[in-house]
Amino acid sequence: MRVITFFVVGLAIHLVFFVSIFDIYFTSPLVHGMRPQMVALSPPASRLVLVVADGLRADSLYTLHPNGSSRAPYIRSVMEERGSWGVSHTRVPTESRPGHVALIAGFYEDVSAVAKGWKENPVEFDSVFNESRHTWSWGSPDILPMFAKGASGDHVYTHTYPAENEDFASSDASRLDTWVFDEVKSFFRSARANSSLMSSLKEDQNVFFLHLLGIDTNGHAHRPMSQEYLENIGLVDSGVADLVSLVEDFFDHDGRTAYVFTSDHGMTNWGSHGAGHPSETLTPLVVWGAGVHTAKRVTDPQPYHDTYLQDWHLEHLRRVDVNQADIAPLMASLIGVPIPLNSVGVLPLLYLNNSDLFKAESMYANALQILEQFKVKMAQKKETTLSFLFTPYQWLTESKQMDFVRQARVLMQLQKYTDVVTLCRTLMSRAMKGLAYYHTYDRFFLGCSVVLGFVGWTSYVVLLILKTHASIRRPPAHTDQVSGRALTWVCVCVTLLLGVFLLIQKSPLTYYVYCLLPVPVWYSVLKEFRTLTYLIQSAPSFPLWKCLGYFVLVAFGIELLVVSFFHRAMLTLGLSVLSLWPILSGLYGKAKFRTVSWVLGCLCLSTFPLMPVVGREANVHAVTCAGALTLFTSICYLWSSRRRTVLHLSDRQQFIFQMLHVAVCAYVPTLTHSSLQQKQGLPLLNQIISWTTLGSSMLVPLLSSTRLFHRLLSIFLSLTATYLLLSTGSEALFPPVLSWLMFVWINMEQEALHSQGISAKQELAAIDFSENVDIAKVRQLKLDDIRRSYFFVFFIITAFFGTGNIASINSFDPASVYCFLTVFNPFIMGGLMMWKVIIPFVIVMCTFESIQVTTQLSSRSLFLIVLVISDLMALHFFFLVQDYGSWLDIGTSISHYVIVMSMTIFLMLLSLVTHILTSRRISLWTRPKMHFP
């Protein structure tokens, strides 16, 4: 198979493996076609006011000042006298869109929404707003439009400020909340002069939604313990007090208004959110007004095992915790609208102050609403599955559904309302388990297909490596041609059978890809039957113990890398072991200085995985020190190599310019940080420098000499300049230390090659990328090349996790992009953060490209070994994917597989980029031809 063909086929196969995880685990759980369930009784409230303080932590609201006063005195008084309170438990990912969807629609967002920045609706869904008669909303343009867009009819009205106002560098982010409160006051004032609006407002089943983003913005910009964040809570508290007074006056204190105050998610101490830390998942919930229990004082211990009640001095008040999705049925019950059709929330009865009959009827409607989803899901799966293969959910068959409903109605007639509630809770529990059962019905079948394809592909690549190593190229005999035709017919028959089976089952198009892909892959493997036989017969001639030892070490190394995804300290252990390589291999006696440099480089790099992933305070002085270290190492190299290579005047000028540029970029974060601290915004000059640096980071190296170390130095300076602008602390030291170790690695590999007598030792400084690109099979693969490939994979993982765990969403710190922009934009900010992750990748990839050139090995051969190691890791993580346990565990297991598969695909693409980056040159001026000594 030609190199280009192999690359394209391999890329396509890995893309299929990558996409498969989304079909298996990330499909939307939503179904459509359910009937809304109404409660025939009169609701307690005519209108609902929902206030969501974005990014507000439960402890930030409930904790008292040291003097015993509250930073939110009005809400505290509601909790003490006329309302019910508790903690709303959110789920991962703790982001704004999923949080609001859970609050207002009652279900937990599927991850497919991340592809649209949590702003658009990948799948349309029902919500309390959609079921209401009218909804008026004020707040962020990132949240409000998605609920208006998904509403049927034209009864959800949005009032948003410009997106540019969501500026982390704003002098006062609380003005976002002030804008909302002012707009609401203006709205009610205008209603008195607008008879049509007044008429709409006087109707029942109305909702008023206030989305307050100031607390979240101040938390990102200044951290949740800052004065800005805490003062913003006080502003919201006074705003809510004024709002309640305004609404009660407008409706003549009719006692028909219910109020819900909560948050979509919390925030870590370092100003981020998205993962499952308690500071992110615990949010406040305070409910009062029509139909809500007033404060209930208790003396007995409450059924909570945490210490929050004591910490918040709320032991005397009944605490009622809920899951975030439970708030949607609560709001629907208060104003008498159907519970959103896709809701999986369970009505928290302890908040309701109503008759037992009303509570029982509301729970019954809640149970029927979830049962309707189960029925639709079961019908869909039954329709697309052959009857003899369909296995219904045994705990909720059609007969058991009818028994549940009949029993509930009988108990209702006997006025045994407590028994009705208990029965409905059982029904809802079984229905939700049944929903999960049918949602994952095809998971095992798809998983087996993907694993079969995975094993087949890896087997094919291993076979290709062995053929290359053993030089097995035998012409096919007549029997081979016969068996080849038979194999072809078998594969065609299998393909037809699978295709017909999937067609009958009305399977999606992607199912055809996952199920049919293993057929041509295994055809390619089985076609090499004689090669496999020859290899088995030749096995005794191989150095078996040496081979076995290498494979055991590589297997142990792969497991070490897998464990490092969960415990970054394993990278420290691995680097410590790697530091002993020259000593164990006998290179120490031949290259003592380089061995010492290797050991020191490994040990220095090993300190980074031990540093905290997140939680660091901004330390711009560390960024400046990283810039100084970069300049120092560059000057040392240029000084030491001045006699070995001639540096052309233009190259010398370029290096001087790049070093001055690094010095400027090392100082820009300090200026930006100082300006933001003084609330003067992002300086325009800093922004111009940052974006110019980013745009030129991959072009400037192309202007330098293609001599090996000259080009690598130019790449290092260019990428480090960008990395400094994206750094906030000690992580800025990572690229200089990594580059130092990579420089030593290139020299050590040259020593290792020379010690094996494979080729005469070359002067590294004299090697030119443009003349030594992809040397075609200068030598065969050796066992030591497995070690080289493993080193590369290990350094790639270290580059990925060295300064943070990307699998954890909350390792994203918006402060990292403040040199580029401060106005919230998830795509641009996410892109900049990804580029920060990629920069160490590029440094390692360029080093690997250099090693392929210096060791006179075909890049294809060495990359095949890398591909096998990466695929074995990916297969390992595929088996570790789980759909049980905490939501954080589920999300983490899936993200690990996605990361490894993305890395494999990315490395295949990045290898082409680094090939161009190292070997191509752009000449902006004509210069006389010169000969290097």
Side-chain angles (χ1 to χ4, degrees):
M1 188 182 290
R2 295 178 57 188
V3 175
I4 297 178
T5 306
F6 177 83
F7 177 85
V8 172
V9 171
L11 185 62
I13 289 174
H14 282 85
L15 284 172
V16 171
F17 292 156
F18 176 79
V19 173
S20 68
I21 202 70
F22 293 93
D23 256 337
I24 297 173
Y25 291 95
F26 286 173
T27 52
S28 173
L30 302 188
V31 291
H32 299 88
M34 292 80 68
R35 295 173 299 174
Q37 302 296 320
M38 291 285 295
V39 177
L41 303 176
S42 176
S46 297
R47 66 200 70 89
L48 173 82
V49 178
L50 171 62
V51 181
V52 178
D54 202 304
L56 176 61
R57 294 162 43 148
D59 60 342
S60 297
L61 180 71
Y62 295 147
T63 302
L64 298 176
H65 288 302
N67 61 6
S69 62
S70 172
R71 62 176 58 98
Y74 177 77
I75 293 176
R76 186 80 177 197
S77 68
V78 169
M79 295 164 56
E80 295 273 2
E81 300 167 7
R82 52 198 176 94
S84 295
W85 75 282
V87 173
S88 171
H89 296 263
T90 68
R91 285 188 182 178
V92 177
T94 45
E95 298 288 349
S96 289
R97 177 198 160 100
H100 281 88
V101 168
L103 285 170
I104 300 165
F107 71 92
Y108 299 102
E109 184 72 282
D110 60 286
V111 185
S112 59
V114 75
K116 297 192 176 183
W118 304 113
K119 291 183 180 181
E120 297 293 334
N121 298 348
V123 179
E124 297 302 329
F125 55 83
D126 192 21
S127 70
V128 174
F129 295 172
N130 185 46
E131 296 291 352
S132 68
R133 194 177 305 277
H134 301 284
T135 293
W136 291 272
S137 56
W138 299 266
S140 168
D142 295 333
I143 298 299
L144 270 54
M146 69 179 179
F147 292 103
K149 180 180 177 181
S152 57
D154 189 21
H155 63 280
V156 179
Y157 311 101
T158 60
H159 307 271
T160 63
Y161 39 74
E164 294 75 22
N165 289 8
E166 299 176 9
D167 191 347
F168 295 135
S170 170
S171 58
D172 183 15
S174 63
R175 62 190 173 87
L176 297 175
D177 299 342
T178 303
W179 182 93
V180 171
F181 288 124
D182 289 345
E183 286 293 312
V184 173
K185 292 175 184 176
S186 175
F187 170 80
F188 279 105
R189 281 198 302 268
S190 65
R192 296 187 182 278
N194 186 330
S195 58
S196 175
L197 178 59
M198 177 66 81
S199 175
S200 297
L201 288 172
K202 292 294 185 180
E203 293 179 315
D204 58 359
Q205 298 183 341
N206 285 339
V207 176
F208 304 93
F209 172 44
L210 283 70
H211 175 241
L212 308 175
L213 190 62
I215 293 175
D216 182 76
T217 307
N218 271 319
H220 284 306
H222 306 289
R223 309 297 187 259
M225 301 304 172
S226 65
Q227 195 66 25
E228 290 86 353
Y229 183 90
L230 299 177
E231 287 180 352
N232 205 151
I233 295 175
L235 182 146
V236 168
D237 180 72
S238 60
V240 170
D242 294 341
L243 171 69
V244 172
S245 177
L246 175 69
V247 171
E248 293 298 326
D249 288 343
F250 187 88
F251 292 104
D252 301 321
H253 297 270
D254 62 357
R256 297 281 296 171
T257 307
Y259 300 90
V260 176
F261 179 86
T262 187
S263 175
D264 55 345
H265 57 75
M267 186 172 291
T268 61
N269 290 341
W270 47 92
S272 66
H273 53 80
H277 191 272
S279 61
E280 301 166 88
T281 59
L282 303 182
T283 58
L285 174 62
V286 183
V287 188
W288 70 99
V292 180
H293 264 301
T294 56
K296 182 176 181 180
R297 300 189 178 275
V298 294
T299 55
D300 296 331
Q302 301 194 51
Y304 299 102
H305 301 293
D306 52 53
T307 60
Y308 296 131
L309 287 168
Q310 292 75 24
D311 297 341
W312 301 333
H313 301 283
L314 289 169
E315 310 96 313
H316 60 291
L317 294 176
R318 183 176 66 176
R319 167 182 162 188
V320 183
D321 284 11
V322 300
N323 291 320
Q324 194 173 46
D326 298 342
I327 298 175
L330 173 62
M331 295 189 295
S333 179
L334 287 172
I335 59 174
V337 300
I339 296 173
L341 297 177
N342 299 113
S343 171
V344 294
V346 178
L347 179 63
L349 293 179
L350 292 178
Y351 279 91
L352 292 180
N353 182 20
N354 215 314
S355 65
D356 291 341
L357 173 61
F358 181 86
K359 293 178 182 179
E361 287 285 1
S362 298
M363 281 297 286
Y364 180 64
N366 195 176
L368 289 182
Q369 168 261 325
I370 294 177
L371 182 61
E372 278 288 315
Q373 296 180 67
F374 173 82
K375 288 180 177 179
V376 172
K377 195 79 172 179
M378 183 178 70
Q380 289 178 351
K381 187 51 59 183
K382 192 173 183 179
E383 184 183 352
T384 58
T385 306
L386 295 174
S387 57
F388 65 90
L389 293 176
F390 179 72
T391 306
Y393 181 62
Q394 296 300 322
W395 289 100
L396 205 57
T397 58
E398 293 183 358
S399 60
K400 289 182 179 178
Q401 294 173 33
M402 296 174 62
D403 290 342
F404 267 113
V405 173
R406 188 184 306 110
Q407 188 177 356
R409 295 316 307 173
V410 169
L411 290 172
M412 198 81 74
Q413 292 173 359
L414 297 174
Q415 298 184 0
K416 294 183 178 181
Y417 302 126
T418 304
D419 294 339
V420 173
V421 170
T422 302
L423 181 66
C424 289
R425 290 188 189 279
T426 303
L427 176 58
M428 285 188 281
S429 174
R430 291 190 181 182
M432 284 190 278
K433 289 178 181 177
L435 280 170
Y437 171 80
Y438 286 119
H439 184 61
T440 60
Y441 193 84
D442 295 328
R443 184 169 294 178
F444 179 77
F445 171 65
L446 293 177
C448 289
S449 299
V450 172
V451 168
L452 201 60
F454 239 129
V455 174
W457 167 255
T458 307
S459 302
Y460 176 73
V461 176
V462 170
L463 188 60
L464 205 59
I465 293 172
L466 293 175
K467 282 182 63 177
T468 304
H469 171 65
S471 301
I472 299 174
R473 297 189 178 279
R474 294 173 173 270
H478 177 70
T479 54
D480 295 330
Q481 296 173 4
V482 174
S483 61
R485 285 196 294 269
L487 184 63
T488 302
W489 278 109
V490 170
C491 290
V492 169
C493 292
V494 171
T495 302
L496 290 174
L497 287 173
L498 285 173
V500 171
F501 172 75
L502 295 171
L503 187 65
I504 294 174
Q505 295 229 121
K506 300 178 183 178
S507 300
L509 184 62
T510 51
Y511 282 32
Y512 288 84
V513 178
Y514 306 142
C515 296
L516 297 180
L517 178 63
V519 177
V521 171
W522 278 102
Y523 171 76
S524 301
V525 174
L526 296 176
K527 197 169 64 171
E528 303 292 342
F529 176 76
R530 282 181 58 83
T531 303
L532 287 169
T533 305
Y534 181 80
L535 284 171
I536 294 172
Q537 293 172 349
S538 306
S541 63
F542 297 150
L544 290 181
W545 287 109
K546 191 175 181 181
C547 292
L548 184 63
Y550 259 98
F551 287 127
V552 169
L553 286 174
V554 170
F556 173 77
I558 290 174
E559 288 303 308
L560 182 71
L561 290 176
V562 170
V563 175
S564 71
F565 275 66
F566 301 93
H567 307 285
R568 292 171 59 236
M570 288 294 103
L571 294 175
T572 299
L573 175 63
L575 285 166
S576 301
V577 174
L578 256 60
S579 68
L580 302 176
W581 162 58
I583 300 172
L584 297 176
S585 61
L587 293 176
Y588 174 70
K590 301 174 183 178
K592 293 183 180 180
F593 178 75
R594 289 176 177 176
T595 299
V596 172
S597 299
W598 170 265
V599 173
L600 290 176
C602 287
L603 294 180
C604 288
L605 194 66
S606 68
T607 61
F608 286 93
L610 297 177
M611 296 180 181
V613 177
V614 281
R616 300 181 295 253
E617 291 296 325
N619 184 2
V620 290
H621 299 298
V623 180
T624 306
C625 291
L629 178 62
T630 301
L631 295 176
F632 175 74
T633 53
S634 302
I635 292 171
C636 287
Y637 166 72
L638 291 174
W639 178 262
S640 64
S641 64
R642 70 189 189 284
R643 294 179 181 176
R644 294 197 302 269
T645 56
V646 177
L647 194 62
H648 193 271
L649 177 62
S650 61
D651 292 325
R652 188 181 301 117
Q653 291 172 344
Q654 179 175 341
F655 286 137
I656 292 173
F657 169 77
Q658 285 190 267
M659 287 189 285
L660 291 174
H661 186 212
V662 168
V664 171
C665 291
Y667 192 57
V668 165
T670 302
L671 293 177
T672 302
H673 181 75
S674 175
S675 178
L676 296 181
Q677 286 290 98
Q678 298 172 18
K679 299 184 179 180
Q680 295 177 355
L682 173 60
L684 179 60
L685 179 60
N686 293 13
Q687 197 171 16
I688 292 173
I689 292 173
S690 300
W691 283 107
T692 304
T693 302
L694 176 67
S696 62
S697 60
M698 297 294 281
L699 296 176
V700 171
L702 299 178
L703 302 175
S704 66
S705 168
T706 52
R707 287 296 178 96
L708 190 141
F709 285 125
H710 290 173
R711 176 54 64 91
L712 291 180
L713 177 61
S714 181
I715 293 171
F716 164 58
L717 290 171
S718 183
L719 295 179
T720 301
T722 306
Y723 199 91
L724 293 173
L725 295 171
L726 290 167
S727 300
T728 60
S730 58
E731 80 273 16
L733 295 165
F734 186 72
V737 175
L738 177 66
S739 300
W740 169 28
L741 183 58
M742 294 298 99
F743 171 82
V744 179
W745 185 27
I746 295 172
N747 284 274
M748 291 301 298
E749 289 294 355
Q750 188 74 355
E751 292 289 348
L753 196 68
H754 178 63
S755 68
Q756 296 168 4
I758 293 176
S759 64
K761 183 175 179 179
Q762 292 179 293
E763 179 64 36
L764 285 174
I767 296 177
D768 194 305
F769 276 118
S770 62
E771 298 174 0
N772 293 274
V773 175
D774 196 19
I775 300 175
K777 298 177 183 175
V778 170
R779 65 178 178 85
Q780 294 295 326
L781 282 169
K782 304 290 182 181
L783 281 175
D784 204 39
D785 293 318
I786 299 176
R787 192 260 314 153
R788 290 187 178 92
S789 301
Y790 178 77
F791 275 21
F792 168 69
V793 176
F794 186 92
F795 287 131
I796 281 290
I797 299 296
T798 304
F800 198 69
F801 290 112
T803 59
N805 188 342
I806 274 306
S808 173
I809 302 173
N810 72 357
S811 56
F812 169 75
D813 184 1
S816 298
V817 302
Y818 284 173
C819 289
F820 294 84
L821 78 165
T822 54
V823 177
F824 179 70
N825 187 309
F827 284 117
I828 295 179
M829 288 181 166
L832 289 171
M833 290 303 300
M834 283 306 300
W835 181 238
K836 182 180 179 181
V837 173
I838 290 171
I839 285 174
F841 265 39
V842 178
I843 293 174
V844 177
M845 282 295 297
C846 289
T847 304
F848 193 57
E849 181 81 11
S850 305
I851 288 173
Q852 292 174 21
V853 171
T854 58
T855 56
Q856 299 178 344
L857 187 67
S858 169
S859 59
R860 175 172 176 260
S861 301
L862 210 54
F863 194 80
L864 286 176
I865 303 177
V866 173
L867 199 59
V868 171
I869 295 174
S870 302
D871 284 344
L872 288 175
M873 289 178 59
L875 186 60
H876 193 130
F877 280 118
F878 187 85
F879 285 114
L880 290 178
V881 170
Q882 62 185 51
D883 59 349
Y884 54 87
S886 73
W887 280 91
L888 179 60
D889 292 338
I890 295 170
T892 301
S893 67
I894 294 173
S895 67
H896 284 162
Y897 174 77
V898 172
I899 286 170
V900 175
M901 285 307 303
S902 301
M903 186 182 72
T904 305
I905 296 169
F906 180 69
L907 289 180
M908 297 178 75
L909 297 174
L910 196 59
S911 63
L912 297 178
V913 175
T914 52
H915 174 72
I916 295 171
L917 192 62
T918 54
S919 62
R920 298 291 184 266
R921 184 169 188 176
I922 300 174
S923 298
L924 297 182
W925 51 80
T926 304
R927 61 181 183 180
K929 183 178 180 181
M930 68 177 298
H931 300 277
F932 292 96

